[in-house]
Amino acid sequence: MPWFVKIEKGIVEKPEFDQHIPAHKAYVKELIANGHQARSGYWAQRGGGMMIFQAESLEEAKAIVAKDPLIQNGCVQYKLYQWQVVVE
C-alpha cells in the first residue's frame, strides 16, 4: 500500500485543540487496527504535526483524513502528500 503524509498546522487555541486529542488518538488507533500502519505526532516546537499512514489510493487517503477528529472539528489546516519510499 502507498504511504501518505498529512502535514498540519494548528489554527485554534490550545485548550480547544486539546479537547479533541483523545478522539484523534482513538482514531489513529483504529487506523492501526485496520492495517493502515498509522503514526501521529507533533513538532517539538509545537504548533503543528504530522500523521503518516498507508492507504490503497489518494481517494482513500483523503477519506481517512476527512474523518480525523482534528479535521472534523476545524482544529488544523493541512496538506496531504503521497510519500514515495526510496529506502526501506
Side-chain angles (χ1 to χ4, degrees):
M1 262 195 290
W3 286 94
F4 293 87
V5 179
K6 174 184 67 143
I7 305 289
E8 60 194 25
K9 178 182 179 185
I11 56 172
V12 297
E13 295 297 321
K14 189 171 180 344
E16 182 179 349
F17 185 91
D18 286 350
Q19 64 184 298
H20 301 289
I21 291 298
H24 170 72
K25 287 181 177 180
Y27 183 62
V28 173
K29 288 179 182 179
E30 179 183 324
L31 292 174
I32 293 166
N34 289 326
H36 292 283
Q37 302 295 317
R39 302 292 185 269
S40 183
Y42 57 88
W43 310 126
Q45 70 273 16
R46 303 285 175 140
M50 179 177 97
M51 183 171 80
I52 187 168
F53 61 96
Q54 290 182 311
E56 292 291 338
S57 65
L58 179 58
E59 291 74 27
E60 183 184 31
K62 287 178 181 178
I64 287 170
V65 169
K67 293 177 185 174
D68 185 332
L70 294 179
I71 301 302
Q72 290 185 332
N73 290 288
C75 295
V76 298
Q77 293 176 334
Y78 72 94
K79 291 190 178 189
L80 179 64
Y81 300 97
Q82 184 171 345
W83 183 46
Q84 300 295 98
V85 177
V86 177
V87 177
E88 290 190 69

